[in-house]
Amino acid sequence: MIVKLSLIILGSSFTGDNFVSTTISGFKEVREEDKSQLVGNVFTNVASNYDLMNDLMSGGLHRLWKERLVSKLNPFPGMKHLDVAGGTGDVAFRILETVNSETEIYVCDINPNMLNVGKKRAVERGETKSLIWAEGDAEALDFPDNSMDGYTIAFGIRNVTHIEKALVEAHRVLKRGGRFLCLELSHVDVPLLKQVYDYYSFSIIPAVGELVAGDRESYQYLVESIRRFPPQDKFALMIADAGFQKVEYENLVAGVVAIHSGLKL
Amino acid sequence: MYRTVAKQLLRGARSRVSGTDVRLRFPNPHSTISRRTFSPSPTPHNSGEIPIPRVYVDLPNSSESTASPSSSSSAGSSSTASSAEEGRRHTRERPRGEYQDEQARVLQSALRHVLTLGWTEDAMMAGARDVGVSPSIVGSFPRKDAALVEYFMDDCLEKLIDRIDSGLEFSNLSPSGRISKLIRIRLELQAPYISKWPQALSIQAHPLNFPTSFKQRAALIDEIWHASGDDGHDIDWYVKRTVLGGIYSTTEIYMLTDSSPEFRDTWAFLDDRVRDAFDLKKTIQEVLSLQHIWQKLLVLEWGTRFKDLSRKFFNGEAYWGHLS
């Protein structure tokens, strides 16, 4: 049963005789166990059209954002990198292009459909050696401690149920000197642009989703989850709480997208 | 006072190694100084008399500073990172230093690779591997090659200050001799890297890096001038530093192509330039001091002539001059 609270905050309530924790998924209240399933359903639905929809929604800008993310990462030959929630492999391919030699890039995603799309693309591009596709949960990664030089998560962390856990896991798997980079849709504070962005998000995107992917619900969820995600400064504090140092963020397009970075020492 | 200013710049530069907060899409040319942990009751605005203490606080209950409002998100989060870290301190084997220290350590060990790899990211990555840190850390420096060069410049300035503080044989030298000696000491510090120094110079000249390198050089010139003890008030403060800056830069560039043993030609060149500058100073001094004498002479000369002329005119001498 979905339980509505008067304040839209993380909390717990009980139905009948058991405590049920609730979390935020879009603007609907759902039980925690249900959130990951809901997210899973969304991405199963969008997987096949994911790249096309990204292009349409961002006007092709998402490519530039991912390129900026990779240049900030500053990859080097021989690095071990983990790209979480990177199902279709966008970031991983770009890292490979930058490094241009043998590396180990692990692409982890909770959704096997997204991974399959990525694997297909890899075969098409002839990139089979350096990429390792792994199904896994950002909150409970299957990698040993202190094993990765870099960790990226692009447009994935807002779908995680417990963001703090994902951050702690990121801290765990990184080596000393390793960097955490997160590319995520974030909050716009610039007055006029905010209104334009809101209108675009709530009116245009779900409509395009319906037209192109035949799925208004998923894209409605997407847009709402962006608004629910913590703003840049708060997210930076969360990253620091997980143990990272030198936590900074860079706003792209005045805050539509932000790249947060942290250093593990 | 200049000594403490130089030290402050060094401290600021150290903590500024990579403390930028980029909020806009376009890179900010200025960097915010992310404050490190303070001792209790810090004064946010330094009066300039007291150097900012370089505090490596390892106390379990160290009070964290709340950074000034304009400071970057990194400062606020580093304080929370430290508080989270305190709780986990007892579980760690080795103490976790502030990231600036780790970065400085990486840069220090990167210097050892500069002769083989140049002032590049490769040298920094090799340095990182030597220290036992992932080469990913190089990505956290905002202007990577420049970070290495700037660290080296700061390091040399510190070494120069240390040498000055530990006492130099100055008493028997003239001001020009002192300046020569100081510049020579400083340039000898970078002599080991001379084969790769042109690259460092080109990095420093890059528009993005130029403001910082200019500030570093200004601090260096300031330090040399102050240490040489020349307190003449004859020429302008800026002129002094510009002239000295010119001497230093030209000598530095001369050194790049000098192949004489132990750079003997460079030191001879340096002595000549310093002597020229002091000769020029004397010349200008003489000109200026004679100025009022010239003025008096002119007044006298023309005053006399005017008197004669007017006398001749009024006494009719202009017409009947031959009759006087």
Side-chain angles (χ1 to χ4, degrees):
Chain A
M1 279 294 290
I2 299 173
V3 181
K4 287 223 184 330
L5 300 173
S6 53
L7 291 168
I8 305 179
I9 49 167
L10 263 170
S12 62
S13 56
F14 58 92
T15 57
D17 42 320
N18 55 331
F19 273 96
V20 172
S21 294
T22 61
T23 180
I24 308 303
S25 176
F27 288 141
K28 288 198 293 234
E29 292 278 324
V30 294
R31 290 191 297 190
E32 279 184 351
E33 311 89 80
D34 293 345
K35 170 161 182 180
S36 42
Q37 200 180 22
L38 197 77
V39 171
N41 289 340
V42 165
F43 280 93
T44 308
N45 296 338
V46 309
S48 47
N49 284 325
Y50 188 68
D51 295 322
L52 173 66
M53 274 307 294
N54 278 344
D55 268 328
L56 282 173
M57 286 193 289
S58 64
L61 279 178
H62 75 107
R63 297 159 195 270
L64 293 178
W65 297 333
K66 283 168 186 156
E67 257 157 54
R68 177 79 187 133
L69 177 72
V70 172
S71 90
K72 269 196 108 139
L73 177 67
N74 201 51
F76 57 91
M79 92 184 283
K80 278 182 76 173
H81 184 77
L82 173 62
D83 183 32
V84 175
T88 53
D90 259 350
V91 172
F93 291 132
R94 281 186 172 81
I95 295 176
L96 271 182
E97 272 168 40
T98 314
V99 169
N100 225 5
S101 74
E102 286 283 321
T103 33
E104 279 176 57
I105 302 182
Y106 296 84
V107 183
C108 174
D109 201 297
I110 200 169
N111 189 302
N113 295 333
M114 296 285 278
L115 283 174
N116 287 334
V117 174
K119 283 181 199 166
K120 252 194 299 183
R121 284 178 65 192
V123 168
E124 280 166 29
R125 295 163 69 117
E127 308 267 15
T128 41
K129 273 188 295 180
S130 305
L131 293 170
I132 300 132
W133 307 86
E135 195 176 324
D137 185 0
E139 294 179 26
L141 291 169
D142 210 4
F143 301 99
D145 293 4
N146 300 310
S147 55
M148 297 293 169
D149 292 303
Y151 176 112
T152 49
I153 181 164
F155 301 120
I157 202 151
R158 71 175 187 285
N159 299 316
V160 169
T161 318
H162 298 107
I163 295 174
E164 300 86 0
K165 279 198 195 161
L167 293 173
V168 166
E169 275 294 282
H171 191 264
R172 179 184 69 80
V173 300
L174 278 172
K175 288 183 197 170
R176 260 195 99 221
R179 284 175 76 221
F180 163 88
L181 281 129
C182 171
L183 173 68
E184 192 52 77
L185 294 156
S186 202
H187 292 251
V188 181
D189 286 324
V190 177
L192 201 65
L193 194 60
K194 187 173 173 20
Q195 276 77 32
V196 172
Y197 180 56
D198 283 345
Y199 172 74
Y200 178 74
S201 301
F202 289 103
S203 309
I204 299 186
I205 288 189
V208 173
E210 190 165 26
L211 218 67
V212 174
D215 188 359
R216 175 177 265 273
E217 282 277 313
S218 303
Y219 290 94
Q220 188 71 27
Y221 157 77
L222 169 79
V223 169
E224 288 169 1
S225 70
I226 297 172
R227 295 301 181 284
R228 283 287 138 232
F229 191 71
Q232 284 88 323
D233 287 318
K234 180 144 181 294
F235 186 50
L237 281 176
M238 290 167 74
I239 297 175
D241 281 340
F244 288 101
Q245 298 200 29
K246 195 178 187 291
V247 181
E248 308 175 312
Y249 67 85
E250 180 185 352
N251 273 341
L252 303 176
V253 195
V256 173
V257 164
I259 301 180
H260 282 77
S261 60
L263 182 64
K264 170 175 175 175
L265 278 178
Chain B
M1 192 202 133
Y2 297 115
R3 172 63 53 83
T4 57
V5 167
K7 277 204 167 130
Q8 275 177 50
L9 282 173
L10 278 174
R11 306 289 181 249
R14 293 279 175 156
S15 65
R16 210 195 316 132
V17 165
S18 299
T20 56
D21 168 37
V22 186
R23 289 179 188 258
L24 306 174
R25 186 202 212 147
F26 307 104
N28 272 340
H30 66 272
S31 55
T32 56
I33 298 179
S34 60
R35 297 297 175 112
R36 300 190 282 177
T37 51
F38 290 164
S39 47
S41 62
T43 50
H45 298 292
N46 205 284
S47 62
E49 302 302 313
I50 308 153
I52 296 174
R54 193 177 197 175
V55 180
Y56 299 101
V57 179
D58 251 8
L59 306 169
N61 300 316
S62 63
S63 56
E64 302 300 337
S65 71
T66 49
S68 58
S70 61
S71 155
S72 62
S73 59
S74 57
S77 48
S78 65
S79 62
T80 47
S82 310
S83 50
E85 165 203 347
E86 247 118 67
R88 274 171 272 180
R89 196 182 282 277
H90 62 280
T91 59
R92 307 195 84 83
E93 300 141 357
R94 69 189 143 179
R96 189 198 300 166
E98 296 247 17
Y99 70 88
Q100 292 102 332
D101 299 333
E102 205 57 48
Q103 285 181 325
R105 225 170 290 157
V106 168
L107 290 173
Q108 181 64 42
S109 82
L111 286 177
R112 269 174 255 139
H113 298 271
V114 164
L115 280 176
T116 42
L117 298 169
W119 304 90
T120 57
E121 285 182 28
D122 292 331
M124 291 164 76
M125 285 195 214
R129 288 198 184 96
D130 287 344
V131 177
V133 162
S134 165
S136 281
I137 199 172
V138 173
S140 69
F141 292 99
R143 289 165 295 117
K144 301 161 188 36
D145 303 343
L148 188 54
V149 176
E150 282 158 21
Y151 174 83
F152 178 70
M153 293 285 284
D154 283 338
D155 199 38
C156 285
L157 181 56
E158 275 206 6
K159 286 195 180 125
L160 179 68
I161 293 174
D162 288 340
R163 276 240 23 210
I164 295 171
D165 283 342
S166 65
L168 282 171
E169 290 307 309
F170 260 176
S171 43
N172 51 338
L173 288 172
S174 61
S176 61
R178 279 180 233 156
I179 289 182
S180 270
K181 179 153 189 176
L182 283 165
I183 294 184
R184 178 172 171 163
I185 293 172
R186 172 58 182 82
L187 285 174
E188 274 170 348
L189 286 172
Q190 69 188 40
Y193 301 93
I194 200 71
S195 57
K196 298 285 182 187
W197 196 246
Q199 186 189 15
L201 285 177
S202 73
I203 290 173
Q204 290 188 315
H206 194 278
L208 277 177
N209 308 323
F210 184 70
T212 320
S213 67
F214 181 78
K215 244 187 281 184
Q216 285 178 319
R217 281 165 186 273
L220 172 66
I221 299 299
D222 214 20
E223 189 56 44
I224 293 177
W225 200 260
H226 176 71
S228 75
D230 186 12
D231 282 323
H233 297 289
D234 31 31
I235 315 183
D236 206 13
W237 191 89
Y238 286 101
V239 173
K240 274 191 204 170
R241 271 139 188 85
T242 312
V243 168
L244 188 55
I247 297 174
Y248 180 82
S249 298
T250 46
T251 316
E252 189 181 18
I253 292 175
Y254 186 95
M255 201 171 153
L256 294 176
T257 53
D258 184 15
S259 49
S260 64
E262 292 182 25
F263 299 105
R264 248 178 303 174
D265 291 347
T266 309
W267 312 135
F269 176 87
L270 172 64
D271 289 333
D272 286 343
R273 298 288 76 71
V274 174
R275 205 176 337 114
D276 287 346
F278 273 79
D279 283 347
L280 179 69
K281 187 176 101 162
K282 279 205 201 87
T283 316
I284 294 176
Q285 270 176 316
E286 282 167 25
V287 168
L288 288 175
S289 65
L290 286 174
Q291 194 183 37
H292 61 277
I293 299 178
W294 281 110
Q295 281 170 347
K296 279 205 184 132
L297 280 173
L298 280 169
V299 166
L300 270 172
E301 168 75 22
W302 287 100
T304 323
R305 287 202 192 178
F306 186 69
K307 254 203 306 190
D308 287 344
L309 270 177
S310 50
R311 197 173 2 108
K312 283 182 192 171
F313 184 73
F314 286 116
N315 295 350
E317 274 179 38
Y319 284 112
W320 314 106
H322 61 283
L323 292 178
S324 65

